[in-house]
Amino acid sequence: MFPYTKPFTQLPVAKKLTDVKGLLGVSAQVFIDQCIHHPLLYFPTFYILKEKLNGGTVEGALAQYRVNCVDDLQALWKIWVPATLVNFTFNPMWARIPFVACTSLLWTCILSYMRGAAEDPE
């Protein structure tokens, strides 16, 4: 989807900050990840799995997601927007997955704290 990604990652930082084509590519990658992937795939999957593991329904999961959507996305974006900007702008291709894995560890701790418990403890 982004053929200019690899050449952009190989530029020195000073050139990256003035490379309009590269920065537009970074913006598009961040937008797709944060505004399409997370709200439409990641969170619905999270809520459905959590609800099904606790004996609930898909409908109940999606209803709970609708209630929490704004808070969840705000929390997610506080971590992931800066992280993806750094990752897509400054990290070489080989460092992207390890960087995301480290950020994911932090995010998983936050999400587990926010939404990990069952809604109705037994």
Side-chain angles (χ1 to χ4, degrees):
M1 283 182 69
F2 304 99
Y4 189 61
T5 298
K6 189 171 182 180
F8 180 74
T9 63
Q10 296 169 342
L11 294 174
V13 172
K15 288 198 179 208
K16 285 181 182 181
L17 298 177
T18 60
D19 185 339
V20 174
K21 184 177 177 183
L23 293 173
L24 286 173
V26 167
S27 299
Q29 291 173 71
V30 171
F31 176 81
I32 288 170
D33 193 43
Q34 301 307 313
C35 298
I36 296 173
H37 167 246
H38 283 116
L40 301 178
L41 298 170
Y42 173 82
F43 275 119
T45 301
F46 168 79
Y47 277 95
I48 289 168
L49 286 173
K50 180 180 177 242
E51 188 74 12
K52 292 300 278 181
L53 288 171
N54 288 315
T57 65
V58 171
E59 294 79 15
L62 296 177
Q64 190 62 46
Y65 175 48
R66 280 190 289 279
V67 170
N68 295 335
C69 182
V70 172
D71 290 339
D72 289 351
L73 287 170
Q74 286 176 347
L76 175 106
W77 290 338
K78 288 176 185 175
I79 301 296
W80 280 104
V81 169
T84 53
L85 284 170
V86 167
N87 198 31
F88 295 147
T89 304
F90 301 111
N91 282 340
M93 296 298 282
W94 64 265
R96 287 184 172 192
I97 292 175
F99 182 84
V100 166
C102 292
T103 307
S104 292
L105 175 62
L106 171 66
W107 170 247
T108 300
C109 292
I110 292 168
L111 185 60
S112 293
Y113 177 77
M114 289 174 55
R115 305 286 182 229
E119 299 303 319
D120 296 320
E122 294 179 18

